[in-house]
Amino acid sequence: MRVFTAALATETNTFSPIAVDKRAFEASLHAGPGEHPATPTLCTAPITVGREVCAREGWTLIEGSASWADPAGLVARTTYEELRDAILDQLRAAMPVDGVVLGLHGAMVAQGYDDCEGDILSRVRDIVGPDVLVCAELDPHSHLTKKRAEAADFFVYFKEFPHTDFVDRARDLWDIAARALKGEIKPVMTVFDCRMIDVFPTSRQPMRGFVDKLIALEKSEQGLLSLSVVHGFMAGDVPEMGTKVLAITDNDPEKGAALAEKLGRELFAMRGTTMVAQVDEKTAVDAALAAKSGPVVVADVWDNPGGGTAGDATVLLAEFISRGATDVAVGTIWDPIAVQICFAAGEGAEIQLRFGAKSAPDTGSPIDKRVTVKKLVRDAEMRFGESFAPFGDAAWIHFDGIDVILNSTRAQSFDPSLYSALGIDPKSRKILLIKSTNHFYDSFSKIASEIIYCSAGKPYPNRPAETNYRKARKDIWPMVENPWGT
């Protein structure tokens, strides 16, 4: 067998002011054919797992390029077309192939392209023809469009949020692909539209139980190959935005359709109950200061670079400062200009510094402080599950009993190693202020005495019923109370 694999991925918040060009991919991951590192990123596990599978099977794996950019705003048209066309040219050069296994995200939007994944998948199908297997692993915070479903044989999505299972799901993808290539099964996809958009963290009930049920059904149901919940991405203003349930069966579309609808209606019945309760910045700071032990983790959930925001909001930090709080460590605030100034000043320098709140309205005001530059690190990284996430050149500054990590490459707070990368022991601080909606939970919950979810400012369109969508559907919950009309 000859199998082609490649990856092209980012998550597009169409409301974000942070434009994405090729440099954004180069800052996170941009690897040429055969140059992908041994460790996968969030959306490139099909490449590294493919190496294992093809070596075991004695098949030829032809690797195309792999590109990933941290979530932000619209991708430049020329950047998307250049990266897409490189993969398509690599596929043409690899022909003939028996299969194409891709790593995609599912919520990429470029100037002129509302459905990047549908575009690239349909072009892949045009190259390989109707009989070659085409499949992909995707992030559930994405848009499952008709165009991409028609172009591919099947998709497998991460089940967990936080996405700790991207390698496991890549193994599921390859297992189904290998069995199909050997002629043992014929995977068929069926999709159910849940007619809603919501947030579905699996680190708590009721989604924890729902995902466990999917896993159990995959093991027990004869002929069922995979189940996925496509959460949808509410910050993507595209025509087919929304939540869907996907079933893959061994050539049994009726079974798949019935099961997808049953599960989809169960999920719809849970609407509005899945997201953890959030408090405003004043309540969050009250609770953190009142805690008797630490570290207390305060998550600035909507200023989350993992959702495409800048990660430079200062609303929560300003509240801590106004209360005279100390023993607070902030990880991170994105400010490449401030980082550059700190590097110019050098470690140990005392400087007057303005930082934060440069990117958008409703994110607070810049902080003006005389700070000490404690440590400088080039190309800093933190862990994220089995991978590493870069957060660029970074500076640890200190003022008034507060430590702040400034970073130059936007990244959400995945793991406490973001602090230790700068020489801060996160366990020694009473309060850790981080920026993430839920990806932080798996790692930070292991050291936290308490976790406080805070909704501060308005950096992210997190209330779909109030969001000024121009393209997205208006006939789904919570835009309408009863989208079924019954």
Side-chain angles (χ1 to χ4, degrees):
M1 294 289 178
R2 290 170 52 81
V3 185
F4 178 83
T5 187
L8 177 56
T10 191
E11 181 181 74
T12 302
N13 177 340
T14 58
F15 300 91
S16 172
I18 310 299
V20 174
D21 61 6
K22 192 173 180 181
R23 290 175 297 177
F25 287 91
E26 292 169 344
S28 298
L29 174 70
H30 181 57
E35 296 176 356
H36 190 287
T39 302
T41 61
L42 187 66
C43 293
T44 66
I47 295 175
T48 56
V49 172
R51 291 171 179 170
E52 301 170 6
V53 173
C54 289
R56 183 177 69 239
E57 298 288 345
W59 297 348
T60 299
L61 183 69
I62 304 102
E63 295 185 22
S65 56
S67 301
W68 157 259
D70 281 288
L74 289 173
V75 179
R77 183 182 191 122
T78 54
T79 295
Y80 166 64
E81 290 177 344
E82 177 187 347
L83 296 174
R84 176 202 67 191
D85 291 348
I87 291 174
L88 297 176
D89 287 344
Q90 292 154 9
L91 174 59
R92 290 187 187 97
M95 292 295 289
V97 298
D98 300 285
V100 177
V101 181
L102 298 175
L104 304 172
H105 182 281
M108 178 188 279
V109 184
Q111 295 283 354
Y113 294 91
D114 282 340
D115 183 9
C116 290
E117 288 83 1
D119 175 64
I120 192 170
L121 283 164
S122 63
R123 291 171 188 267
V124 165
R125 180 58 74 191
D126 288 343
I127 292 170
V128 301
D131 300 324
V132 170
L133 183 76
V134 177
C135 62
E137 181 187 31
L138 299 104
D139 188 303
H141 294 118
S142 58
H143 318 292
L144 179 47
T145 68
K146 182 179 179 181
K147 183 175 184 178
R148 66 185 68 170
E150 289 176 346
D153 289 281
F154 69 93
F155 299 130
V156 172
Y157 291 76
F158 316 149
K159 283 185 170 62
E160 302 293 341
F161 176 35
H163 304 325
T164 54
D165 63 331
F166 58 94
V167 174
D168 290 335
R169 299 293 77 77
R171 292 196 172 104
D172 290 349
L173 178 82
W174 270 98
D175 178 65
I176 297 170
R179 293 172 64 194
L181 288 170
K182 293 175 183 178
E184 298 172 359
I185 57 173
K186 182 181 179 181
V188 175
M189 276 196 298
T190 50
V191 179
F192 179 75
D193 182 358
C194 299
R195 304 188 190 184
M196 67 175 181
I197 186 67
D198 208 344
V199 181
F200 303 101
T202 62
S203 51
R204 64 188 298 272
Q205 297 295 359
M207 278 306 293
R208 177 69 266 149
F210 191 80
V211 169
D212 289 342
K213 179 178 180 176
L214 301 188
I215 295 170
L217 285 169
E218 288 176 339
K219 294 177 180 177
S220 63
E221 284 286 324
Q222 186 72 24
L224 177 64
L225 303 177
S226 177
L227 291 168
S228 295
V229 176
V230 186
H231 296 194
F233 186 55
M234 65 176 62
D237 186 8
V238 295
E240 294 179 70
M241 184 268 286
T243 303
K244 298 180 174 70
V245 171
L246 167 67
I248 305 170
T249 59
D250 182 8
N251 199 27
D252 192 347
E254 291 79 13
K255 178 186 182 73
L259 187 54
E261 178 172 357
K262 179 176 181 295
L263 293 168
R265 290 187 179 275
E266 287 180 16
L267 191 61
F268 181 79
M270 292 157 46
R271 66 196 182 283
T273 68
T274 54
M275 186 61 183
V276 67
Q278 301 158 33
V279 297
D280 64 19
E281 61 273 14
K282 293 185 182 299
T283 305
V285 172
D286 283 342
L289 295 178
K292 295 181 180 179
S293 63
V296 177
V297 173
V298 182
D300 193 351
V301 296
W302 296 119
D303 186 34
N304 171 21
T309 68
D312 70 347
T314 58
V315 176
L316 255 171
L317 175 57
E319 186 67 25
F320 277 113
I321 292 171
S322 72
R323 306 284 193 93
T326 59
D327 206 12
V328 178
V330 182
T332 59
I333 289 181
W334 178 65
D335 195 328
I337 296 172
V339 170
Q340 183 179 348
I341 292 170
C342 290
F343 270 84
E347 289 185 359
E350 291 188 15
I351 59 173
Q352 188 69 30
L353 187 67
R354 168 170 284 197
F355 62 92
K358 292 182 171 72
S359 66
D362 301 316
T363 56
S365 301
I367 304 295
D368 290 292
K369 286 290 179 180
R370 186 160 188 83
V371 308
T372 300
V373 181
K374 300 285 286 184
K375 191 172 180 65
L376 302 167
V377 175
R378 294 282 186 192
D379 300 319
E381 292 183 322
M382 68 183 116
R383 294 200 65 86
F384 178 45
E386 298 182 43
S387 183
F388 290 89
F391 57 102
D393 293 348
W396 166 17
I397 60 172
H398 179 83
F399 60 90
D400 303 338
I402 294 176
D403 297 298
V404 176
I405 296 173
L406 303 171
N407 60 314
S408 55
T409 296
R410 294 178 314 105
Q412 66 175 299
S413 312
F414 287 115
D415 186 90
S417 59
L418 79 89
Y419 289 103
S420 52
L422 271 290
I424 299 172
D425 177 6
K427 295 180 182 178
S428 70
R429 299 302 195 269
K430 182 184 178 184
I431 299 168
L432 301 176
L433 172 53
I434 64 172
K435 293 182 181 288
S436 178
T437 303
N438 202 51
H439 281 317
F440 73 91
Y441 184 86
D442 187 64
S443 56
F444 276 93
S445 64
K446 294 179 172 64
I447 67 168
S449 63
E450 181 181 354
I451 294 175
I452 300 168
Y453 292 79
C454 179
S455 177
K458 294 182 180 179
Y460 183 95
N462 63 338
R463 295 173 181 165
E466 302 172 11
T467 300
N468 185 27
Y469 293 113
R470 294 183 301 113
K471 300 178 181 180
R473 301 163 58 186
K474 306 296 195 300
D475 61 345
I476 62 174
W477 184 91
M479 292 75 146
V480 296
E481 186 59 35
N482 183 10
W484 304 103
T486 57

